[in-house]
């Protein structure tokens, strides 16, 4: 009976849930689907890409009928007049040198910390600011993140870097304002994951979301959580509001396979070590390690700490929940009942809703010894490599240097480089210079690297610097983009109350423009975020002067004041002032004595 | 109420105040000082004899109730109490008269509080705390004065609250109890209570009757006999009694003091005192009382709090890497990097290389650095820690274990996910130029023609550890090398962390400054300190870590030594522990000291304690310079006159500044020549060049002096001014330098001491034998001049350099080459101090010594 109960309940549920679901899937407008793509990367890394997508028609959204669309978020969007919203929580960095091109071509990732940009329905700047304030504060509460700290100094209005992804009717396009805010110092952690999962129709209880565990997610070398909401108008159909939630994470297979109760990377036993036995000195106690690309054997439950608990019953059953991108030659074992759908370099697995899914990749066989590349798909080459760092030292000025490398041998790459800098970094725009490595002078004018610059200078304590540079890099060239800046001195109340590590400077956003963007293509072909920077400003050591000042002032005021007062005061002579002191005492005594004497005399 | 007439502070006023102190106050002052002086000897313990110890009070020892205010714990206690009590006592005495004060303060006003204190302390509190010091009088008088103030001005108003004025001493009492350690709250309180009672007039009857006092005064004619006596009878003698006025010859004022000829004789002794105190101060530092135990100031470091797991099969890997390194012995830098780069890359690190070429002393220092960044998972390249392993250490030994250990460690670190900062491994061909080139390029402070830029970078460097592990076999202890370029030091917290981890957690010994054995006694401490000072004074790089320190990246080099049972894994665990500590840092190391002298691994003195030493030595030059300036303004006859006038004449003579300034400027500008020569001459010419320079240097002062006499014939005043300006510059430079590089300033100050005391040779004898004809003494003068020139040459910079080389058994050429390399590579500025501060001062001093003032031959008295 106890076993029957859930089954009964489930069937009841399915009775009441599935008919509308089926109806919705028939219209293909209000559906929900989820998919996990696993892709092994070099250096024993594994990219796990979770994607959840659902939508609701605009009319139902406006009448307050939320089905798969999360109500909490929907109401916020309605209240703040948001047309399109993109929210990113990221941690770590994508190692493009080893891992190749980014998942989703970088479109679903943000810089370190929290990044938010949205198109708001507003006619004036004031209205937009007001709605932005509403939006950030509401999202701050919803996602347990300090989004409410995105104030005027951290908000910019990018001009060239972003374009709406959704389909917006032309009538409303002119009244849409784009606002962009970023919190580079925000540490993304489990308190942000929980509200993220709550937005899902299955709430992380079934389907691929069961694999999302805070311990694993935040132990990843790179992870990015994204929420994208945009209106989509299929040709001929009704416009729908689409919400897409994405989590990309790069797990270190070696680290993930460690049991959770013993995460310490103790050295292996001598016999477990993979050694290069061809070395002449190889012996039982000498071992040249040969394990750099080892650990390519793993199973789903080893990596995520648990196996996948069925599928989400609300999800579109035609979309396979798990796909694995490995070469065709690679052996993959699954549990019985899983249907494998093979395509080139990709295998997807379809399972029944009740059964658990388990994947097992055995160690690569000896036939794959001819190259490590046979175990994994070769990573794609990104269109651009970017690395940004500070130059100079000291507390007064500094510089920023971005190294941009176009790996392509024959295609030039055009992109928009956007920086939103805090106001206390005052940049000297005249020092901005782009030069191709190997050429000492800036490039000749007939082929300028910098095509267009949009610059909005900072106002102290009111808004930050916004710098957008459209650049074009010739094939196989490395370009140094540098500029200098000066550090302002903050007021002491403007320092954050925490330990002073420095101030984080948000990642630069590099949007590589699609060459066919004016035709059929998208606006952005690829997006890159650089790492954030740590800018150290001249900082007093707050506690010490504070203690010293307070303590010594008190002591001096009390001790010196009292002593000085008594030492310098001049007193009037006793006979000039009122009778007192010794004289008074004597006078009294004499008076008494006189009285006694008088009485004595009188008696006599 | 009348506003108090606040006198502005001025020296004459203070002086006149002191000179007019009445008799009893003076006597008490004298008594307290005498007791303090007596207390300096050890045969008779004054404090035990005179202090108010509750248990000791009996009929035999009632004297204690009177003696205890006169005895103090130490000089500081005395000075503080004197400053407080003297004004109060003076006022009391001038109001009540000397006799009354005597009677009261040797009677009730001391004994009542004393007995009260004893009663409360012994019978109520049951304790036995000895008290002493005049502060009880201070509080008593404060109490009395407060009551008075209360009579005339009952309240002071703070916002809307009326606060009775009589409470102000109570506030002071609480403040004293809180601020001054080991002050007796009860003692002060008792004094204050008695003061209140006295102020309220309840014990005025204890004062001796005025009539009797007047009678005594009259009979003994005390006011006339005793100076500064304050009579009881203020009606007769005025409110303040008979006080000395400034009419008498004995009353000196600042103006008179200034004209006193003796004042000009003082500065040389003052200078000497400064030097003696400065040197003695330095030698006091190793004592327990003057140095402190080290402590971890930055709590985030938590050194030694984590388990270290670097062991087990990592040792197998270490052996393999060591074999790889062995195979590379003797290979060129490029081949070495070619071989190592794939290994490092295989660890999952981002690698890059950097070329550098330095030209120094005719040599070309070139090489290629290989470095690799371990990108911390989950972090974002904002901060980094550096692990440096040079292929050769500073003694040109191959770092045979260091590089394999660094590689194994990085491989191990890669397995952890807890790093909050990137870890950068830097493999350099040598220990000085390579790290310097890398750090310069990392901060973009490099000359791109000599040093290549870094292709990949990480975030702000938070710390660096260099491994210098050339020793084979097991070791016993770790040697921490911490001296940076130009005497800069890493934050003390870093050294403390390593000491804590290696010494405390791993249980190995820790040594500093090549003191392989250290018994933590005075001689060893002093030796450690002096070695450190010498190294910092020379300002040379002492290891791969030295280059990091100028960029505010705290760094040390760790070098295992000795024959013990610790293996490479133990060394690795020390580094692991240190890296884990640095990884904990939330902010840059800033909490602890950057200026310190270590005298044992757990003992140091900070800048506040040691700085006076160098400052005093530097101040002696300034004092002398000022004295000479004053002296040069007085007519010559006034000081050399035989009749010894009581005062200097007030007239001044005009100072002829052009020639002295010209000579000093010439000396200073000549200094550019040796600075340039020794930094740019090729290696093989350095030793001959030095010999030629030394010879020229010996001849230069007589030559310069001769030409000066022939061309301008300076007067005695001008010689004084030359010396004054030269010393003024020296004092200024050295005191500034003392805050940057204390040991260098002190060393230069000590070898320049003779410059303070020299004066024109022909001047010294002529003042004593001015009456006799000078022709007969010309030959002896000549001999003395030669002697003096030789003596000056002995303290000249080249001679001191030679002596130093002989003492440590190194070649002059090697030293000069090392200095030139340091100048070009590390930016050491010791040379600038030697050639542009010390040498010109020495030159000017020699010219003065050999000078022949005009008019001295014809007779002094003019």
């Amino acid at each position: 009976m106890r076993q029957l109960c859930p089954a009964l309940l489930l069937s009841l549920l399915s009775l009441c849930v599935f008919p509308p679901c089926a109806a919705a899937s028939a219209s293909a407008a209000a559906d929900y689907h989820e998919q996990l793509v696993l892709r092994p990367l070099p250096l024993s890394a594994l990219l796990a890409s979770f994607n959840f997508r659902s939508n609701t028609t605009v009319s139902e959204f406006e009448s307050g009928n939320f089905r798969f669309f999360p109500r909490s978020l929907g109401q916020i969007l309605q209240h703040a007049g948001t047309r399109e919203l993109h929210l990113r929580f990221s941690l770590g960095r994508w190692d493009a040198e080893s891992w190749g091109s980014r998942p989703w071509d970088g479109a679903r990732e943000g810089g370190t910390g929290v990044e938010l940009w949205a198109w708001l329905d507003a006619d004036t700047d004031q209205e937009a600011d007001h709605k932005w304030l509403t939006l950030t504060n509401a999202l701050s509460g919803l996602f347990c993140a300090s989004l409410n700290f995105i104030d005027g100094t951290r908000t910019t209005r990018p001009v060239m870097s972003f374009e709406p992804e959704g389909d917006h009717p032309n009538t409303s396009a002119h009244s849409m304002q784009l606002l962009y805010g970023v919190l580079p110092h925000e540490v993304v952690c489990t308190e942000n994951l929980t509200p993220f999962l709550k937005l899902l129709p299955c709430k992380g209880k079934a389907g691929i979301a069961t694999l999302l565990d805070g311990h694993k997610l935040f132990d990843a070398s790179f992870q990015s959580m994204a929420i994208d909401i945009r209106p989509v108008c299929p040709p001929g159909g009704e416009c729908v509001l689409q919400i897409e939630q994405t989590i990309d994470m790069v797990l270190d297979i070696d680290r993930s396979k460690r049991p959770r109760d013993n995460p310490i990377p103790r050295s292996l036993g001598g016999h477990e070590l993979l050694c290069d036995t061809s070395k002449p000195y190889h012996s039982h106690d000498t071992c040249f390690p040969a394990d750099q690309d080892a650990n390519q054997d793993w199973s789903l439950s080893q990596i995520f700490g648990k196996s996948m608990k069925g599928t989400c019953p609300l999800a579109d059953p035609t979309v396979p929940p798990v796909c694995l991108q490995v070469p065709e030659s690679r052996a993959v074992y699954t549990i019985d009942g899983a249907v494998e759908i093979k395509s080139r370099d990709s295998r997807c697995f379809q399972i029944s809703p009740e059964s658990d899914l388990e994947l097992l990749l055995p160690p690569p066989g000896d036939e794959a010894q001819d190259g490590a590349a046979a175990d994994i798909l070769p990573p794609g080459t990104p269109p651009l490599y970017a690395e940004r760092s500070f130059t100079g030292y000291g507390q007064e000025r500094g510089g920023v240097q971005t190294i941009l490398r176009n790996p392509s041998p024959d295609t030039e790459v055009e992109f928009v480089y956007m920086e939103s800098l805090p106001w206390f970094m005052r940049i000297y725009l005249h020092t901005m210079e782009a030069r191709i490595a190997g050429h000492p002078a800036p490039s000749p004018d007939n082929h300028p690297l910098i095509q267009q610059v949009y610059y909005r200078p900072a106002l102290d304590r009111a808004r930050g610097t916004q710098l957008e540079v459209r650049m074009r890099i010739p094939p196989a060239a490395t370009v140094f983009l540098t500029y200098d800046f000066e550090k302002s001195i903050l007021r002491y109340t403007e320092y954050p109350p925490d330990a002073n590590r420095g101030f984080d400077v948000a990642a630069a956003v590099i949007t590589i423009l699609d060459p066919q963007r004016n035709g059929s293509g998208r606006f952005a072909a690829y997006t890159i975020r650089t790492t954030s920077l740590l800018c150290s400003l001249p900082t007093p050591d707050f506690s010490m002067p504070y203690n010293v000042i307070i303590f010594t002032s008190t002591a001096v005021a009390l001790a010196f004041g009292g002593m000085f007062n008594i030492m310098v005061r001049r007193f009037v002579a006793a006979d000039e002032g009122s009778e007192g002191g010794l004289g008074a005492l004597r006078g009294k005594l004499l008076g008494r004595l006189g009285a006694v004497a008088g009485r004595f005399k009188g008696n006599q | 109420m009348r506003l108090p007439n606040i006198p502005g502070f001025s020296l004459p006023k203070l002086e006149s105040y002191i000179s007019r102190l009445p008799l009893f106050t003076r006597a008490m002052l004298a008594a307290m000082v005498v007791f303090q002086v007596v207390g300096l000897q050890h045969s008779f313990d004054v404090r035990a004899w005179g202090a108010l110890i509750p248990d000791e009070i009996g009929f035999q020892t009632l004297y204690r109730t009177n003696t205890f205010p006169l005895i103090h714990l130490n000089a500081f206690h005395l000075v503080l109490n004197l400053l407080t009590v003297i004004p109060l006592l003076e006022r009391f005495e001038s109001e009540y008269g000397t006799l009354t004060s005597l009677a009261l303060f040797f009677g009730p006003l001391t004994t009542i509080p004393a007995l009260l204190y004893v009663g409360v302390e012994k019978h109520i509190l049951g304790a036995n705390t000895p008290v002493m010091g005049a502060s009880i009088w201070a509080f008593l008088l404060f109490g009395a004065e407060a009551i008075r103030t209360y009579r005339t001005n009952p309240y002071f108003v703070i916002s809307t609250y009326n606060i009775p004025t009589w409470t102000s001493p109570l506030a002071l009492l609480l403040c004293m109890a809180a601020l001054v350690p080991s002050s007796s709250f009860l003692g002060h309180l008792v004094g204050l209570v008695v003061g209140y009672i006295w102020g309220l007039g309840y014990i005025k009857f204890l004062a001796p009757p005025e009539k009797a006092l007047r009678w005594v005064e009259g009979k003994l004619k005390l006011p006339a006999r005793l100076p500064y006596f304050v009579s009881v009878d203020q009606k007769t003698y005025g409110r303040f009694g008979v006080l000395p006025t400034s009419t008498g010859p004995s009353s000196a004022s600042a103006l008179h003091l200034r004209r006193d000829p003796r004042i000009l004789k003082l500065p040389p002794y003052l200078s000497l005192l400064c030097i003696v105190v400065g040197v003695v101060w330095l030698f006091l530092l190793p004592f327990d009382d003057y140095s402190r135990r080290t402590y971890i100031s930055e709590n985030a470091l938590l050194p030694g709090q984590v388990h270290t797991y670097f062991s087990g099969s990592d040792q197998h890997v270490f052996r393999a890497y060591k074999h790889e390194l062995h195979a590379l012995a003797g290979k060129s830098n490029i081949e070495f990097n070619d071989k190592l780069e794939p290994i490092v890359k295989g660890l999952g690190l981002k690698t890059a290389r950097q070329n550098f070429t330095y030209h120094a002393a005719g040599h070309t220092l070139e090489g290629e650095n290989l470095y690799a960044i371990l990108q911390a998972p989950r972090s974002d390249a904002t901060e980094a820690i550096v692990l440096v392993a040079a292929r050769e250490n500073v003694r040109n030994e191959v770092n045979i274990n260091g590089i394999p250990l660094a590689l194994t460690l990085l491989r191990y670190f890669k397995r952890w996910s807890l790093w909050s900062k990137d870890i950068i491994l830097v493999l350099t061909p040598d220990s000085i130029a390579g790290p310097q080139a890398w750090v310069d390029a990392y901060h973009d402070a490099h000359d791109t023609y000599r040093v290549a830029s870094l292709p990949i970078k990480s975030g702000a460097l938070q710390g660096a550890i260099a491994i210098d592990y050339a020793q084979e076999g097991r070791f016993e202890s770790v040697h921490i090398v911490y001296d940076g370029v130009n005497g800069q030091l890493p934050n003390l917290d870093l050294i403390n962390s390593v000491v804590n981890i290696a010494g405390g957690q791993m249980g190995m010994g820790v040594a500093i400054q090549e003191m392989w054995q250290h018994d933590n006694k005075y001689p060893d401490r002093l030796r450690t300190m002096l070695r450190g000072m010498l190294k910092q004074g020379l300002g040379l790089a002492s290891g791969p870590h030295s280059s990091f320190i100028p960029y505010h990246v705290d760094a040390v080099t760790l070098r295992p030594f000795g024959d013990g049972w610790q293996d490479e894994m133990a060394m690795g665990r020390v580094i692991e522990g240190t890296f884990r500590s640095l990884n904990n840092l939330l902010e840059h190391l800033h909490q602890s000291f950057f200026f310190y002298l270590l005298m044992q691994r757990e003992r140091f003195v900070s800048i506040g304690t040691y700085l006076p030493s160098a400052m005093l030595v530097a101040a002696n030059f300034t004092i002398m310079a000022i004295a000479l300036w004053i002296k040069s303004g007085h007519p010559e006859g006034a000081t050399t006159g035989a009749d010894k006038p009581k005062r200097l004449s007030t007239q001044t003579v005009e100072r002829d500044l052009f020639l002295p300034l010209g000579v000093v400027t010439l000396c200073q500008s000549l200094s550019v020549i040796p600075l340039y020569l020794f930094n740019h001459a090729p290696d093989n010419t350095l030793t001959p060049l030095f010999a030629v320079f030394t010879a020229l240097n010996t001849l230069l002062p007589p030559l310069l002096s001769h030409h000066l006499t022939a061309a301008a014939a300076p007067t005695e005043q001008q010689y004084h001014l030359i010396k004054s300006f030269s010393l003024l510059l020296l004092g200024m430079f050295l005191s500034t330098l003392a805050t940057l590089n204390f040991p260098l300033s002190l060393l230069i100050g000590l070898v320049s001491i003779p410059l303070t005391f020299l004066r024109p040779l022909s001047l010294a004898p002529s003042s004593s034998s001015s009456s006799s004809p000078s022709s007969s003494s010309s030959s002896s003068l000549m001999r003395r001049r030669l002697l003096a020139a030789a003596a000056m040459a002995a303290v000249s910079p080249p001679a001191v350099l030679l002596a130093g080389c002989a003492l440590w058994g190194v070649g002059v050429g090697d030293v000069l080459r090392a200095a030139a390399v340091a100048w070009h590579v590390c930016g050491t500025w010791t040379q600038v101090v030697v050639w542009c501060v010390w040498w010109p001062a020495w030159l000017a001093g020699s010219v003065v010594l050999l000078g022949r003032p005009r008019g001295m031959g014809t007779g002094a008295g003019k």
Side-chain angles (χ1 to χ4, degrees), chain B residues 562-581:
Chain B
D563 188 16
W565 51 274
Q566 309 280 2
D567 63 353
E568 312 88 15
M569 293 291 116
M571 185 64 198
R573 283 193 292 275
V574 170
I575 295 166
E576 184 195 352
T578 314
F579 268 58
R580 290 288 298 274
S581 279

Side-chain angles (χ1 to χ4, degrees), chain B residues 147-216:
Chain B
I147 293 293
R148 267 186 165 193
T149 315
Y150 179 65
R151 291 255 162 78
T152 53
N153 185 26
Y155 300 103
F156 55 88
V157 182
I158 293 176
S159 67
T160 54
Y161 298 99
N162 285 334
I163 294 171
T165 42
W166 60 265
T167 54
S168 57
L170 281 174
L172 187 68
L173 176 72
L174 292 175
C175 189
M176 288 289 282
L179 291 185
V180 184
S182 75
S183 68
S184 165
F185 178 74
L186 181 63
H188 292 167
L189 182 68
V190 163
L192 190 58
V193 166
V194 176
Y196 280 149
I197 297 173
W198 169 262
L200 289 170
Y202 295 127
I203 48 171
K204 287 250 161 117
F205 61 89
L206 293 172
E210 248 181 60
K211 206 177 261 177
L213 292 177
R214 203 169 287 146
W215 182 78
V216 171

